[in-house]
Amino acid sequence: MTMQVGLKVWRFNSRTGERELQEFEIAAPEEATLLDCLDIVKDQHDGTLAYRKSCRMMICGSCGMRMDGAAVLACKMRMYDIAQAGHVPVISAMGNLPIVKDLVVDMDPFWEKFNSVNPYLQPGYEEPPDGKENLITQERMNVIHKEALCINCGCCVSECNAMEADPLFTGPQALAKAMRFVGDPRDGQKLARLEKLNGEHGIWECTRCYFCTERCPKGVDPRDAIAKLGAESMKEGIDRDMGAKHAKWFVTSARTTGWLRETELVPKTQGVVAAIKQTRFALDLALKGKVPPPFPPHVAKDVKESRRLYDLVRDQGRDGYAGIVQGERALGRLSHGHGVGDQTLEEIYDRPGAYHRPFIADEEADA
Amino acid sequence: MLDMRHLGAERIIDRLPGSRELSMTFAGVDPIYDPVPVRPGAHYHMGGVETGNDGETELTGLYAAGEVACVSVHGANRLGGNSLMETITFGRRAGRAAAEWALANTTVDLPESAKADAERELKALLDVSSGERPWQIRNDLGTSMLENFGVFRREEQMTRQVEIIAEVRERYERGVVVEDKGDVFNSDLTQAIELGNMIDLAACMLQAGVARKESRGAHARPYDYPDRDDENFMKHSISRWAGDGPELSWKEVRYTKFDPMERKY
């Protein structure tokens, strides 16, 4: 069965700098993905269209591009529903990277940042005594399960708002990759890595807009990775950045009063001098009732609960990235609108319309 | 249909998350609840450019690594991890050796004519203004190769495919139209060049496939030669391009630590 698919593609000619929105109407098989549709356009309609592709099965990371302004992997994007709805999506190159031609971007800045986090294991462990291997439990590797799924497609970088503001920002992909090594129990350079990541253009530049996590086609959750790096940095005492100070003050105020002590937030984060400069602003806020007066401190009735929570996190050793990792399995969260794993095998086989139970020759004998 | 339901949700999520993602994205099927429709596909190229242990090839200065290379560690079987060995181990060795060679040899003696020939070929390809687009030929090549040189191979189908390849080559050589005449990321041109290479490669595969009268690894001839024949075919097939067609020769298999044996599982 074929379907009619309409596409509007932003063409770009790097020689002349011209941009043009070109519309195509094609016939494609019903199971076609966006990449299949682009192949049909290139083969049968306009051979000059340029885009990257390779594996066609979401593992090589070549075909990152934008559809209706949001980064997607073209090979993962099934077009049936879109075509049936009569929608004609706009296809354009990824953001935050220079365009080479049409949908092809220059990935060099991406790879530079990727390389800047030294994306290789730096073994620091002792050689195993009898020349055998060092065994690591699955549980300890689960910590970086999501980060290890990254295929370097660049979709997160394309969407990153912080990078739009500061093109030198290390960015979600490189930072997720950094977490992949910081969280690896075999890596011996954790502290050196964290030190560097706390520097200029590092983790604290992230604005937490969550676009990277939202658009990642593989479930890597780069923003989560950045949060883990921040938490682990603070646990290791690397807290000189304003971002770290800011976060620490939230914890301190919650522990001491159960409230956010906003009046002290600015001096604790930006320092006393910066705070004095903002006195006027603070007074205005206070007069309008936007911030409570610092004295006497306003202590919450159930502050003991918040203190207990604080102690619990410490006692369980969850004050670093461990507090953010919950044995998560990114791909495990994929579901088709129903809970996963809450049915027995018998229930699965007996569902109405289910494919019949397979015949296994020796099953009876085994039972 | 591939039924994985008996494995249970936990094991599927834990051990087969990638396969589950593929099934859900491309077939709309969650393997926890339903069997997955499957079909043969080209997953990995065994064989390739013959290399030594450092990725070096017959041509001085040309190194090959990864799926394009054949260090001949695994023979004709696609075992789990083939590609890891080719990339992680031999990719590293090839990269290192190639870099060392490049640093030690800053200029390469190439006959002037080689460059002129390549330029002329490119120009000829770009100058074609009427004729077939490459995709039609590529599709016909792919469909016929899957049918006649797919999972199970029959002598008469392979022989027929040799003729089909000759026809495909004739169509290609009559001239295919490359619409993109530019010099920036011109994948229309590279795809047309690759099509020519694919036709050559198909001819090499067919010649070696017909000549190998046995079943070994991925080369399965269940109808006429269902068994492995170590006496006659414990050897590598080597194809060289000789003017207008492939030339097949054989090379001894070198083994050291492990004796080759039939796979019985």
Side-chain angles (χ1 to χ4, degrees), chain A residues 15 42-44 46-48 52 56-58 75-76 78 100-101 104 217-218 329 331-332 334 336 338-341 343 345 348-349 351 355-356 358, chain B residues 1 3 5-6 9 13-15 17-18 20-22 24-30 32-35 133 135 138 179-180 183-188 191:
Chain A
R15 288 249 176 277
K42 186 175 179 66
D43 282 345
Q44 305 177 25
D46 189 343
T48 64
R52 278 203 186 89
R56 301 181 296 170
M57 51 179 281
M58 316 181 276
C75 68
K76 189 182 177 178
R78 296 282 293 267
V100 175
K101 182 183 175 187
V104 178
K218 297 296 281 188
R329 293 300 182 82
L331 289 173
L334 287 170
H336 274 188
H338 40 62
V340 161
Q343 282 164 295
L345 192 54
I348 288 172
Y349 284 141
R351 280 181 319 147
Y355 199 82
H356 60 80
Chain B
M1 294 292 230
D3 198 338
R5 292 175 295 180
H6 64 287
I13 289 170
D14 256 21
R15 297 287 167 177
R20 178 162 179 252
E21 188 193 15
L22 288 174
M24 290 169 75
T25 308
F26 296 124
V29 167
D30 184 343
I32 293 173
Y33 297 98
D34 294 294
R133 285 277 289 152
W135 69 272
R138 191 181 65 229
E179 287 177 357
D180 193 341
D183 55 3
V184 179
F185 211 94
N186 190 343
S187 46
D188 206 31
Q191 282 179 13

Side-chain angles (χ1 to χ4, degrees), chain A residues 293-315:
Chain A
F295 301 106
H298 177 48
V299 180
K301 186 158 69 75
D302 296 321
V303 65
K304 271 188 190 143
E305 279 184 33
S306 110
R307 288 177 190 165
R308 179 74 195 112
L309 268 176
Y310 177 84
D311 293 341
L312 205 63
V313 166
R314 279 288 150 101
D315 290 348

Side-chain angles (χ1 to χ4, degrees), chain B residues 42-173:
Chain B
H43 178 59
Y44 182 81
H45 281 275
M46 292 168 293
V49 180
E50 196 195 5
T51 72
N53 292 345
D54 288 316
E56 74 276 18
T57 67
E58 266 187 25
L59 295 178
T60 312
L62 180 72
Y63 290 77
E67 206 165 343
V68 78
C70 183
V71 196
S72 287
V73 175
H74 296 102
N77 261 346
R78 161 61 179 162
L79 304 167
N82 275 27
S83 48
L84 273 183
M85 175 88 101
E86 295 280 7
T87 50
I88 305 287
T89 305
F90 292 104
R92 184 188 168 102
R93 296 179 70 122
R96 209 171 253 175
E100 275 166 20
W101 193 88
L103 287 171
N105 300 272
T106 47
T107 51
V108 186
D109 279 334
L110 261 187
E112 271 302 305
S113 62
K115 193 173 168 238
D117 281 353
E119 277 169 357
R120 194 168 43 244
E121 269 177 45
L122 276 187
K123 189 167 182 307
L125 202 51
L126 287 168
D127 281 348
V128 178
S129 53
S130 70
E132 270 188 290
R133 285 277 289 152
W135 69 272
Q136 293 160 310
I137 302 176
R138 191 181 65 229
N139 280 7
D140 290 349
L141 174 67
T143 316
S144 60
M145 282 295 279
L146 180 65
E147 191 181 320
N148 297 324
F149 202 65
V151 179
F152 299 118
R153 295 162 180 182
R154 286 172 196 269
E155 179 99 32
E156 71 266 22
Q157 279 183 303
M158 288 191 280
T159 330
R160 195 186 319 144
Q161 185 63 17
V162 173
E163 289 161 28
I164 294 175
I165 293 296
E167 288 161 27
V168 165
R169 178 186 302 285
E170 208 186 300
R171 281 164 68 191
Y172 180 74
E173 284 174 355

